[in-house]
Amino acid sequence: MAAAGDGPWLDDAAGRLVRPYTVSDGRTRPTTALDLLSQVMATGTTSLGYLGPEHTQALDLCRAPVSVAEVAAHLRLPAVVTKVLLSDLVDCGALTTKPPAFHHNPTDRSLLEAVLDGLRRQL
């Protein structure tokens, strides 16, 4: 088992020992609208309030622009919990956010068919 300061508390048999809703203080809605593909980046401003260990880890991951999905994967947290943590950091001025860079509809039928065709060619 990892020590308290060595990242998320994990147990080989049980998995994560701190439940995700505990990390977000039971909140399920971020105060900032974030998409999974939104880019977040640290501003260099330090928070005036208390930051939990997950907030600190998220902030460390955001030294360069990174997507919300990547932060969630690195933290091994559900996306909604990660969005709550990141929105806390945006609210205190420690992070800046930028919407996804694509300008087309990601659920466009032709795009989905092209992806499916590419996957079929790989198999």
Side-chain angles (χ1 to χ4, degrees):
M1 184 156 72
D6 294 339
W9 292 357
L10 298 173
D11 181 278
D12 292 336
R16 189 177 182 86
L17 298 177
V18 177
R19 297 291 176 220
Y21 62 84
T22 305
V23 172
S24 64
D25 292 328
R27 295 172 293 148
T28 59
R29 295 184 192 259
T31 56
T32 303
L34 294 169
D35 186 271
L36 285 176
L37 299 177
S38 295
Q39 298 287 306
V40 289
M41 184 173 169
T43 61
T45 304
T46 56
S47 171
L48 300 176
Y50 169 76
L51 289 180
E54 288 82 5
H55 286 95
T56 304
Q57 289 172 339
L59 199 52
D60 287 342
L61 292 169
C62 298
R63 290 183 184 157
V66 63
S67 72
V68 171
E70 289 177 88
V71 175
H74 284 289
L75 294 178
R76 296 182 179 173
L77 288 171
V80 69
V81 173
T82 302
K83 287 179 182 181
V84 170
L85 293 176
L86 293 175
S87 70
D88 290 346
L89 293 169
V90 169
D91 291 345
C92 73
L95 281 184
T96 185
T97 180
K98 183 173 125 184
F102 60 84
H103 299 288
H104 61 279
N105 183 0
T107 57
D108 179 46
R109 183 178 177 96
S110 62
L111 174 64
L112 295 175
E113 287 175 352
V115 169
L116 183 59
D117 289 342
L119 289 172
R120 285 183 180 149
R121 280 186 290 236
Q122 294 295 324
L123 297 175

